[in-house]
DNA sequence: TATAATACAAGTATAAGACAGGTCGGCCCT
DNA sequence: AGGGCCGACCTGTCTTATACTTGTATTATA
């Protein structure tokens, strides 16, 4: 519990208004909360966790005691398609397709495209053992750290190949996430596609700051 | 913040007029700005603009010159289901179901739940003419501004009713967004469900700050 | 013509106080 | 020993006063 507003006001020699403004800023940030007639208290850790950044899927699996595994489907160095070339600005790229499993249950099919100049440092077993993030950072292959990303999430009907993989009917709903990851200089470093079966997964997005609409943010119409 | 005009005037031994002229030149150049009764402050770098929030779907439609319209499907005050009661902490709630159209093409079916205490201020035509955000804020029905939201995005197969609405086959993929909106005190104010046909829509999410994984952030497994 | 000096209007943040309503603990009465 | 009441203390909210700010106008001066 915090001292009362009156105490804080006299200790720090500011008015109660000022004390309240400060406390309300802290409340906005989720650090403290108040109850009328009782007082101010620091928010218990569980709430902060709820309001904090969302953990990655790997951390979630680890918490659940589930063993994650990756399986490489295929990998090739090839000329980049028009779309990829435009995003990454590279002519020759490495494309790796993997499946992510949780306790041997496939929950994602992933395709990653990276400039082929980075590919020569990796082997097939690297792709199974490590995430690309770890591969790129641990081996210090990047001049600048990864720092921004843009992802689009859409709903698609699952393809025949993926249907077999996830053991669901062809055409079932799936989440598809296309992601471009940038380094701190703003240059795109890698492009990736994730396909998740709809019955297994969902995205959670927390929006802080001022809300100017109750409609889902980030939505856009595609043509 | 800059020192006040009076301070600058005495420190540099020039008149307030001269100080103001200098500051106004700087304002023209976009380096500083002022607020009456408050003072002068240096303008934050345009970085904020680049990382700015994504526009709402309404703003996008307006930019595209598309005319948005809402149609109310039904509206009733009823006892809240267990799920809604847990989220909103209300026994009696108003449920409004609407369709959003862009140039008469339906692109979203929306259900909004709000405490019935707020419902008495609204009429059916209000729901067609305004967004709930505008209704709640314009009429000053909220003690605290809306400030936080949590939304989960999942892929579902489209229901029979929605299939008719969107003129797509039953079972087509759709994006479903469940959203809880909170006021600045952290209290939940409204709960909403959005269903978007998959072929029309996608979510765009920009992630700033340090990236610690290249996997889609915000993803979680559902049970 | 530009600057200085001055005055005033309007806006902002804080100080100080009062009051309503909620919470809690202790005291009294049964 | 137990239930109910009361008072001290707390937050939530309002009003009023004050000091300081920018915005604007006027007049004097080099």
């Amino acid at each position: 519990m915090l001292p009362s507003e009156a105490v804080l006001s006299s200790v720090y020699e500011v008015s109660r208004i000022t004390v309240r403004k400060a406390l309300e800023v802290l409340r906005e940030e989720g650090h403290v909360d108040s109850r009328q007639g009782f007082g101010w208290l620091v928010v218990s850790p569980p709430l902060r966790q709820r309001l904090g950044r969302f953990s990655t899927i790997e951390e979630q699996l680890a918490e659940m005691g589930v063993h994650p595994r990756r399986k490489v489907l295929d990998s090739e160095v090839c000329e980049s398609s028009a779309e990829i070339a435009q995003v990454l600005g590279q002519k020759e790229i490495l494309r790796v397709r993997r499946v992510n499993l949780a306790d041997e249950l496939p929950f994602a099919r992933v395709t990653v495209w990276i400039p082929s100049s980075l590919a020569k440092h990796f082997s097939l077993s690297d792709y199974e053992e490590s995430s690309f993030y770890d591969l790129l950072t641990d081996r210090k292959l990047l001049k600048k750290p990864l720092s921004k990303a843009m992802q689009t999430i859409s709903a698609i009907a699952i393809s025949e190949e993926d249907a077999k993989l996830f053991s669901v009917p062809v055409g079932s709903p799936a989440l598809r996430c296309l992601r471009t990851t940038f380094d701190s200089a703003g240059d795109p470093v890698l492009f990736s596609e994730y396909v998740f079966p709809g019955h297994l997964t969902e995205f959670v997005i927390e929006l802080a700051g001022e809300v100017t609409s109750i409609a889902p943010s980030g939505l856009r119409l595609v043509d």
Side-chain angles (χ1 to χ4, degrees), chain A residues 3 20 41 52 58 60 62 70 82 109 111 137 144-145 158 167 173 192 200:
Chain A
R20 280 188 65 80
L41 19 83
E58 290 91 348
Q60 281 182 59
R70 297 182 194 85
R109 184 182 58 71
T111 310
T137 53
K144 310 262 180 180
I158 222 158
S167 308
S192 43
L200 277 182

Side-chain angles (χ1 to χ4, degrees), chain A residues 72-174:
Chain A
V72 170
L73 293 176
D74 50 50
S75 148
E76 61 167 351
V77 174
C78 58
E79 210 160 311
S80 39
S81 69
E83 190 194 7
I84 305 288
Q86 194 186 354
V87 173
L88 290 185
Q90 298 275 335
K91 279 204 168 178
E92 209 187 53
I93 47 157
L94 168 71
R95 192 200 67 182
V96 179
R97 297 203 316 142
R98 295 196 299 201
V99 183
N100 282 25
L101 307 102
D103 274 349
E104 303 307 307
L105 172 75
F107 72 91
R109 184 182 58 71
V110 185
T111 310
V112 177
W113 289 266
I114 60 171
S116 59
S117 56
L118 295 172
K120 59 172 180 275
H121 303 90
F122 305 138
S123 70
L124 267 184
S125 61
D126 285 336
Y127 303 143
E128 301 221 327
E129 281 158 22
S130 305
S131 71
F132 270 89
Y133 179 81
D134 288 340
L135 284 178
L136 293 172
T137 53
D138 289 354
R139 307 198 179 175
K140 302 196 167 52
L141 295 175
L142 301 172
K143 289 178 185 173
K144 310 262 180 180
L146 298 177
S147 79
K148 270 184 301 200
M150 170 107 86
Q151 56 190 34
T152 69
I153 299 169
S154 56
I156 59 168
I158 222 158
S159 71
E160 200 167 335
E161 184 191 355
D162 289 339
K164 274 186 208 159
L165 191 63
F166 297 126
S167 308
V168 295
V170 173
S172 315

Side-chain angles (χ1 to χ4, degrees), chain A residues 12-24:
Chain A
Y12 292 100
E13 289 177 349
V14 295
S15 76
R16 227 190 104 199
I17 290 190
T18 312
V19 169
R20 280 188 65 80
K21 284 199 176 175
L23 288 170
E24 269 153 18

